[in-house]
């Protein structure tokens, strides 16, 4: 899983054997090949995406999810072309995901996806002040390493290990973006690095910060300020949920995910923003990780139905939900 800024999905063209009628993603769940169907719905939804950034982010998100889920859909790799008009961090994410997919399915890789270029672009991004770009970089590198066979990791020349970290400079950049964002992000990085001792410390610190924000809600404040605090609680609990799910603390991760979803429902802005429908899809993924099959299936249906009902959502906003749904379905299949 990844941040809302990092996750957007575009697929200009990809062949699939099963399509949902009318492009309704929720219909995919009753088809023979729901994962392939969702990829097809993504094609329909995102073909008209006008934002270059969303388009490139979209290719990156889809390839990342397909590689991690072990779902081969080569049309996505063919369509995922680097666009020089996109921001550097989007192009960097695409290069990482293209390489991850190509290595996973033994496809040819061009020079834009070589480890040396990926690391050089990462170094450039780390010198910039943008905190969310740094968080995107760290999370993307960590995820590309998740569940990858040793033979595949060896072909990264150690780049992912060097990038999957949160140093003092990163922390300062994150906190300039959002108060205490580095504290909220730390458990995720510790979880990806399988550092249980560090995770136990960072999750306690993160929980204390979130408790402080929750206490502020009892105080008088403007509507805008209250929405901002609740938005931080959505993000903080979501990051904790993903960290705990990744590290195997499933019961705790479910509680954190449900808290994030509850705060999402209390914020008019975030609840209506198409981009934040991603939170609802992550709840389904976390239920699946925790082995709560019936809850995961219900949450997955609800998530896709919500996106189907969003008239103003672009392909880039719908994409994260489709990508996470593919990974959730793969988790559910493994339990059968």
């Amino acid at each position: 899983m990844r941040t809302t800024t990092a996750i957007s999905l575009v697929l200009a063209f990809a062949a699939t054997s099963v399509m949902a009628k009318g492009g309704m993603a929720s219909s995919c769940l009753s088809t023979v090949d729901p994962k392939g169907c969702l990829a097809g719905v993504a094609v329909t939804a995102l073909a008209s995406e006008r934002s270059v950034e969303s388009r490139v982010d979209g290719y990156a998100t889809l390839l990342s999810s397909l590689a991690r889920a072990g779902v081969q859909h080569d049309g996505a790799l063919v369509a995922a072309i680097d666009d020089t008009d996109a921001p550097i961090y989007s192009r960097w994410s695409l290069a990482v995901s293209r390489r991850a997919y190509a290595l996973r399915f033994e496809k040819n890789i061009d020079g834009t996806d070589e480890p040396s270029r990926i690391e050089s672009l990462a170094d450039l991004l780390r010198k910039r002040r943008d905190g969310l770009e740094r968080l995107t970089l760290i999370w993307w590198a960590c995820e590309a390493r998740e569940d990858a066979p040793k033979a595949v990791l060896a072909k990264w020349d150690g780049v992912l290990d060097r990038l999957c970290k949160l140093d003092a400079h990163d922390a300062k950049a994150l906190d300039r973006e959002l108060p205490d964002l580095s504290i909220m992000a730390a458990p995720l990085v510790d979880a990806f690095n399988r550092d249980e001792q560090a995770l136990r410390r960072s999750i306690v610190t993160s929980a204390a910060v979130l408790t402080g924000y929750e206490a502020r809600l009892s105080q008088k404040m403007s509507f805008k300020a209250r929405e901002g605090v609740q938005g931080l609680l959505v993000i903080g609990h979501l990051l904790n949920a993903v960290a705990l799910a990744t590290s195997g603390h499933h019961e705790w991760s479910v509680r954190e995910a449900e808290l994030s979803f509850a705060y999402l429902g209390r914020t008019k802005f975030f609840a209506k923003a198409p981009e934040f429908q991603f939170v609802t899809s992550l709840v389904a993924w976390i239920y699946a990780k925790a082995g709560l099959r019936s809850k995961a299936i219900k949450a997955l249906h609800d998530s896709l139905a919500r996106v189907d009902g969003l008239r103003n959502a672009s392909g880039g906003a719908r994409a994260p939900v489709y990508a996470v749904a593919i990974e959730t379905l793969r988790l559910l299949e493994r339990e059968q």
Side-chain angles (χ1 to χ4, degrees), residues 91-165:
R91 298 177 66 193
W92 179 87
S93 299
L94 179 63
V96 171
S97 295
R98 278 174 55 91
R99 183 172 183 82
Y101 181 94
L103 290 175
R104 174 65 176 77
F105 298 111
E106 300 182 344
K107 297 295 176 180
N108 292 330
I109 306 171
D110 64 34
T112 61
D113 305 328
E114 288 302 314
S116 58
R117 177 179 180 271
I118 287 172
E119 190 161 24
S120 295
L121 282 177
D123 291 340
L124 176 62
L125 288 169
R126 281 184 178 274
K127 293 177 182 178
R128 292 162 42 150
R129 294 172 59 86
D130 192 296
L132 290 179
E133 285 185 10
R134 287 186 181 231
L135 181 56
T136 296
L137 185 152
I138 294 166
W139 195 333
W140 217 271
C142 293
E143 275 209 329
R145 194 179 61 180
E146 270 298 281
D147 300 324
K150 289 184 179 180
V152 169
L153 288 177
K155 296 179 181 180
W156 281 96
D157 299 338
V159 170
L160 300 180
D161 293 330
R162 291 190 289 274
L163 295 179
C164 183
K165 64 180 182 179

Side-chain angles (χ1 to χ4, degrees), residues 259-295:
L259 278 171
S260 177
F261 186 66
Y263 279 114
L264 177 69
R266 292 168 60 179
T267 58
K268 292 183 178 180
F269 172 77
F270 291 110
K272 292 181 179 180
E275 294 78 7
F276 274 79
Q277 303 311 313
F278 172 67
V279 177
T280 68
S281 63
L282 265 182
V283 173
W285 177 81
I286 288 168
Y287 282 148
K289 288 280 284 186
L292 302 175
R293 185 176 182 82
S294 60
K295 283 191 171 184

Side-chain angles (χ1 to χ4, degrees), residues 19 21 44 71 84 126 132 137 210 219 227 239 261 273:
M19 294 287 290
K21 293 182 179 180
T44 302
V71 177
T84 57
R126 281 184 178 274
L132 290 179
L137 185 152
L210 294 174
Q219 303 172 6
E227 289 275 283
L239 290 171
F261 186 66

Side-chain angles (χ1 to χ4, degrees), residues 11-14 19-20 22-24 37-49 315 318 322:
L11 191 56
F13 174 82
M19 294 287 290
M24 300 296 282
C37 177
L38 283 170
V41 172
V43 173
T44 302
L46 299 168
S48 60
E49 177 62 61
R318 297 172 188 271
Y322 301 151

Side-chain angles (χ1 to χ4, degrees), residues 205-219:
T205 304
S206 176
V209 166
L210 294 174
T211 297
Y213 280 118
E214 287 162 356
R216 288 178 58 182
L217 293 176
S218 63
Q219 303 172 6

